[in-house]
Amino acid sequence: MSNKPQRLLEKYDLLLDHLDFDYIRRSNNGREVENILKVLRSGEEGYFPQLTAYAEERLKSLRPESKLLRKEQPLATQHTMPEEQWQNISTRLNEWQCMMKAIEEDLRSIQDEVDDPTMPRIRSVPMIDVEQEIRDLSNASQSKYIKYCDYDRWGKFDADTEMLKMDLDEERHREMVRINNQKNSEIPKIVELPPQPKLSQQEKQVIAGKLREKGNDYFRAKEFTEAVEEYDKSLELYPSAACYNNRAIAYIKLQRYTEAIADCEQCLKIEPSNLKALLRKAQALTLSDKKREAYQIYCDVLRLEPTNSIALNNTASLRRLLTDLPPPNAVRMSIEEVSNAGSDIDFRQLVRPKRVVKDKLPDSIKRLQNDTITLVRQHAETVAKRDTQEISLSAEPPQRNTPLIEEL
């Protein structure tokens, strides 16, 4: 296998005949013209300046945004820029430098007037004389090192003095290290801050709203744990139904269904007819395998809003899973069996002459009593008519029959 590099014509699947004015003019494929231009610029098939320029013009008409048409421009300098433009830039730079110096002077004057130990000092860059530093370094090097041929200085050199200086420098270094370690080991003093002023209810509500919005942003970014943290901060300041509702759906996303149900209940305490809280509570109950309780919640939603599509769909799906569930609009009626207690009632104790214990009589007994009174009255009227007829026929006065039951 040869390691010969592949030619661009083979790489771009082009023929040598494609490197032609007529072919480039007839081609409407911008990608193909771009590949032809790459081959021409590479010089593998020779250098054709006019054909290359024509290919560039054709590519500009087909793909004006092509990277091959970009041309590098050198950086602008004082010599390449117009004199007026350079003068304008220099003037603006000088003005900015003067303004910065004035601001720095003002800050330094303020720092000198008010020396607050709790505030950091303004950072400043000291002016360094480079030439003086070089001279000092050269003098120090000359004083420290003695050339081997400088016999006069060697004659004045005192070895004991130099050893003493070295010992003093080492001792000074140790002392500085000890002081620094001591400073670092000291316990920092705790500065008690002044107590923060208590926030008003309106301020708490505003801050809680901002924290809730921040939690909503985390929720939209699917960072549910951070969203719950922001909702917690908001609820600590100002509990609201909306925040409980939002934290409930965040708990559902985190599969913490017990906390979600608790938040929905807190929201319903504030707003009993909150449909979102009811739906999310039903969702959490369904996911925690409490489908019957969830079905009852969906039924409550349909009582508040009969056309709610979420509740309708979920009730239908739950009824397919649990076939013994009643329809959503069903009404539960309690039926109690009544024992046959009327057969043991003593009517003689309940019905007395000119007195009826009405509070102790059942309705059926009252109706029976009224019917009995009606029959007795009719019988009495019939007897009275018959007695009247007998009086008219006989001279003896008839004896009047007394009714069995007195009128009530």
Side-chain angles (χ1 to χ4, degrees), residues 213-224 226-227 230:
E213 290 297 330
K214 189 176 180 181
N216 294 343
D217 294 338
Y218 279 121
F219 184 86
R220 295 187 192 98
K222 297 184 179 180
E223 298 178 3
F224 304 118
E226 289 78 2
E230 296 299 327

Side-chain angles (χ1 to χ4, degrees), residues 98-117:
C98 294
M99 183 177 65
M100 290 295 105
K101 286 182 179 179
I103 293 173
E104 186 177 359
E105 291 296 332
D106 294 340
L107 292 175
R108 285 181 180 175
S109 62
I110 294 172
Q111 182 69 25
D112 294 337
E113 292 175 0
V114 182
D115 192 6
D116 190 356

Side-chain angles (χ1 to χ4, degrees), residues 15 86 96 109 124 126 145 149 153 194 197 199 244 248 251 284 311 362 371 397:
L15 299 176
W86 177 257
W96 176 82
S109 62
S124 60
Y145 301 104
C149 59
R153 294 190 64 186
L199 299 175
Y244 277 120
Y251 278 142
D371 295 339

Side-chain angles (χ1 to χ4, degrees), residues 121-143:
R121 297 189 64 83
I122 299 173
R123 182 176 61 184
S124 60
V125 180
M127 301 299 293
I128 299 174
D129 191 353
V130 180
E131 296 180 357
Q132 184 65 29
E133 289 290 330
I134 293 173
R135 286 195 297 270
D136 293 342
L137 288 174
S138 61
N139 294 333
S141 61
Q142 289 178 3
S143 61

